[in-house]
Each structure stands twice: as C-alpha cells, then as structure tokens.
Amino acid sequence: MQTRKLYYEDSHLRSFSAKVLSCEETEKGFEVILDATAFYPEGGGQAADTGFLNGIRVRDTRERGETVVHFCEGPLEVGAAAEGVIDWEPRFHRMQQHSGEHIVSGIINRRYGYHNVGFHVGKSGMEIDFDGPIPSEDLPELERAANEAVWKNLPVRCWYPEEAELPHVGYRTKKDLPWPVRIVDVPGYDKCACCGVHVANTGEVGMIKILSCVKLRDGVRLELVCGQRAYDYLNRIFDQNRQISQLLSAKMPDTAVAAKRMADQLQAEKYRSAGLEKQLFRFIAESYVNCGDVLHFEPDLAPLSVRELADAIAERCGGVAAVYSGTDEAGYALCLICKNADVKELGSAMAKALNGRGGGKPGSWQGSVKATRTQMEEFWRMK
C-alpha cells in the first residue's frame, strides 16, 4: 500500500482531500492510512506533522515503508473521503529551521570540508553536529554568509534525479546512496540528499542566528534558530536588555559596559565586606577566650562564614565551638570545631536529635538542622 506524498509535491499545502484506505483501532488510538496525504511523517531530524482529518485530531504521523500512517484520536470510515488540515504554524517553523540548516551546513562543508553528522529540530531551536572544529572567531562571518543566502531569496529546488543523472548531480553526502535519491538544492550554497520538507525560497527562512558552538567529541555542536523562532528569541533578548538598561540607568547599547562596572563595584564591596567580617569574627572569638565549649548564634552567615567563625572561636575557647546561622522557619547551617578532640560522633548525635545532616573529619563537622533555637539550646544543655 503506497501513499501519495503531497508534501513533496507542494510543501506549502495546508489542506487536502483524500480517500480513507484503512482504519485500525489500537491501544493508543486509531491508525489511519489514506491514498494521499500532506502530513509529513517524522524523519531526517524533522518532527511529524499534526492536525485534523474530518475534524478528528491527528496526534502523530509515521512512515512504514511507502505508507504514511496517521495516528488519530477517533475513527474514520474506510472508503470515505477525508479532509485534512495541517497544523501549519509548527510545520512552517520546522521548514524554516530545516532549510536554514541546509544553508549553514552547505557553507561549512564548502569552507572546511566537514560533514553534518547529527541534526535535530526541537521545539525552540535546532542543533547541528559537525565532524570537525570551527574556530569561535569564524562564527560571526559564517552567520553573516548564511543570512546573505536568505536575503538573496534564492529558489529552493527539491527533486528526484533520473538514475542516469544522479551520478552527475554532485550533491553533498556522507556515503553513496542507491537510486532514487531526493535532492535539495540551494543554488550556490548547498546541494544535498534530503527527505525533509523545505521552504520554496530562501527568503522564507527569514533569519538565521547562531546561539552557541560547543566542542563535541572531535567536532562541534552548533545551536541555532531560524525564522519565526529567531525573531521570537531576539525579541526576548531585546526585552531583557531593555529591562537591564533601565535597572542600570544605561542606554541599551551600553548595558555590557554598565554591567561590567557594577560587577567591579560589587566585587570591591565583597572584598571590603569580607575584611569587615573577619574583624567581627576576631572580636567575637576574643569574647570566648578560655570559656570551654561555646554555643553561638550569628544571623545571616553563608556556610563558609559559619565555618570561619567556628574556627576563630575554637582557637580561643579551648573546647568545642558550635556556630549556628539561620532561622527557626528555614533551618540552620552549623559548624562544630574543636582543636583537641574528635567531634564526628557529637555531630552525628546532634543530626539525629535535631533532624539534621552533615559530615566532616575528626576536628570538624559541618551541616544543617531543621530545628528551633530552643531545641538546639536544649540539646547542648543535655549533651
């Protein structure tokens, strides 16, 4: 049973009429086969179409040999006519991504000789894997070249060459393919074997934006967006930059400079604050000279600061220094330090009694507890 593939005849076909050849109920719904369809089945890194057949939801579309199977939420009458409607917006977005991928892959193949060894179109963008490294400094120029292909509004040709013609087509491929082979041609940029659906002209891709390039095995993975998705992405970035410019009281083109200035100021304040904190810890520690075991509560300390204060007190007190910081509602960070005794057993007992957790080595134990200050004070009175 062979399905006529209308999506290859006209990739912009949004609705169509066909005849229902079969309809079988399964555990997941109804599998419907038509004599023709504009629903593209999943394949080649491109997701399947969804939509409606006679008003019944089509959740997925798959290919079985030369047959296209529609996974529907309800039955269709065998032998009856079916009116199909594609969910056009996601389909067109995927076409924009896929055609954009061909432009980028073609440029990279011509410049570096690398092959596209992995391709996936996701819900927000797409990823392309190449089998060689791309210097980061080359990315802006590659992106510019890809968008120049878009601006030229070149015709995108998709066809099956005759068997005798195929060896002379000169298309991009990682291995020899048996005839018949479907070729997608972007003049001057790419000619590649492909089973996907594409835009009619490169201008429909709209825009190509490379988001990242990361090392992947011996090559790289490019993350990029095209068309509507690129427009939406850049709009989100623009809105965020607008908010940042208002917060920094800087013009939008100057937010990076303003952010760097604020980061430098913040770093300087952190150094100043750390110095003042160390002075405070020394004063606190001096108040516990030769006091033996010490239980001390100090508000609003980071875990590292809790440890530093406990260490400073332990140097002076001559016993176990137990420092807590937090609230009854959120819990407490804590650190136990003793310069002349093992506190691991004490820490474990405290964690068990006060709903806590943590660990350490003989002279120190650090963790957290979910208990009130009153409960902690009672534990230390009874230990």
Side-chain angles (χ1 to χ4, degrees):
M1 190 182 300
Q2 185 171 353
T3 307
R4 181 182 171 190
K5 299 171 181 177
L6 302 176
Y7 47 82
Y8 281 162
E9 298 176 17
D10 180 3
S11 65
H12 289 66
L13 190 63
R14 306 185 188 195
S15 60
F16 65 98
S17 298
K19 181 181 178 180
V20 180
L21 299 182
S22 69
C23 178
E24 295 184 7
E25 186 173 6
T26 69
E27 293 180 356
K28 297 182 179 180
F30 295 83
E31 296 185 4
V32 175
I33 297 175
L34 309 174
D35 66 344
T37 186
F39 282 82
Y40 179 76
E42 182 179 28
Q46 190 168 338
D49 285 338
T50 57
F52 295 91
L53 286 174
N54 287 352
I56 296 172
R57 188 69 183 163
V58 178
R59 297 194 306 265
D60 196 5
T61 314
R62 302 282 169 159
E63 195 170 27
R64 293 178 184 165
E66 292 299 316
T67 301
V68 177
V69 181
H70 308 77
F71 295 83
C72 302
E73 292 183 350
L76 278 80
E77 181 183 350
V78 176
E83 299 297 322
V85 179
I86 306 294
D87 287 333
W88 175 247
E89 185 173 309
R91 153 71 95 80
F92 184 63
H93 289 177
R94 289 191 288 268
M95 288 165 58
Q96 288 180 312
Q97 310 310 302
H98 201 161
S99 297
E101 175 269 319
H102 274 246
I103 293 171
V104 172
S105 293
I107 291 172
I108 289 175
N109 180 257
R110 290 181 178 217
R111 296 196 180 190
Y112 306 102
Y114 301 155
H115 292 289
N116 174 335
V117 294
F119 167 57
H120 173 68
V121 177
K123 291 184 178 181
S124 58
M126 63 177 163
E127 296 173 339
I128 316 173
D129 299 340
F130 294 97
D131 55 4
I134 299 175
S136 58
E137 58 269 22
D138 289 1
L139 295 177
E141 203 279 323
L142 290 174
E143 183 181 274
R144 171 80 182 191
N147 280 286
E148 286 176 351
V150 174
W151 303 333
K152 291 176 182 177
N153 197 28
L154 300 166
V156 177
R157 183 189 179 198
C158 304
W159 87 105
Y160 284 94
E162 296 294 332
E163 186 172 6
E165 178 190 2
L166 183 62
H168 308 289
V169 170
Y171 60 95
R172 175 171 60 88
T173 182
K174 296 184 287 292
K175 60 181 180 179
D176 292 333
L177 300 173
W179 183 84
V181 178
R182 185 169 180 265
I183 302 296
V184 175
D185 184 14
V186 182
Y189 288 89
D190 190 40
K191 190 182 293 181
C192 180
C194 178
C195 64
V197 285
H198 291 270
V199 298
N201 300 282
T202 57
E204 289 184 277
V205 174
M207 179 191 308
I208 298 174
K209 183 64 185 175
I210 298 175
L211 305 182
S212 67
C213 179
V214 297
K215 180 174 173 55
L216 182 69
R217 294 182 288 277
D218 294 328
V220 295
R221 170 170 289 174
L222 285 186
E223 181 188 10
L224 59 155
V225 285
C226 301
Q228 178 73 46
R229 293 180 180 179
Y231 175 82
D232 292 342
Y233 175 84
L234 292 175
N235 263 350
R236 291 195 299 272
I237 298 301
F238 181 89
D239 184 61
Q240 290 178 17
N241 194 38
R242 178 184 57 78
Q243 295 178 50
I244 292 169
S245 73
Q246 293 173 350
L247 292 171
L248 297 178
S249 298
K251 294 181 179 179
M252 290 180 64
D254 302 327
T255 52
V257 174
K260 175 65 167 56
R261 183 168 58 248
M262 176 169 284
D264 291 342
Q265 293 172 351
L266 179 60
Q267 190 64 34
E269 288 300 317
K270 284 183 177 179
Y271 282 126
R272 179 174 176 273
S273 176
L276 293 173
E277 189 175 71
K278 288 183 183 298
Q279 291 183 37
L280 174 62
F281 290 173
R282 285 197 296 270
F283 290 136
I284 293 174
E286 289 297 331
S287 69
Y288 291 118
V289 172
N290 298 324
C291 283
D293 294 345
V294 172
L295 174 61
H296 181 86
F297 290 87
E298 190 70 25
D300 303 325
L301 291 184
L304 180 59
S305 296
V306 171
R307 181 178 182 84
E308 289 178 349
L309 178 54
D311 190 60
I313 294 174
E315 289 284 356
R316 302 291 192 276
C317 71
V320 176
V323 175
Y324 293 80
S325 183
T327 64
D328 287 0
E329 294 75 19
Y332 290 83
L334 68 106
C335 185
L336 313 179
I337 293 182
C338 185
K339 299 300 182 179
N340 51 27
D342 188 343
V343 295
K344 286 197 300 183
E345 186 176 340
L346 175 61
S348 297
M350 181 197 59
K352 183 177 181 180
L354 298 176
N355 189 26
R357 60 181 182 178
K361 50 190 179 181
S364 65
W365 193 96
Q366 192 162 6
S368 62
V369 293
K370 287 285 187 180
T372 66
R373 177 167 177 166
T374 299
Q375 290 171 325
M376 287 181 279
E377 290 172 337
E378 179 65 20
F379 171 82
W380 286 100
R381 280 196 296 268
M382 300 295 294
K383 79 173 179 67

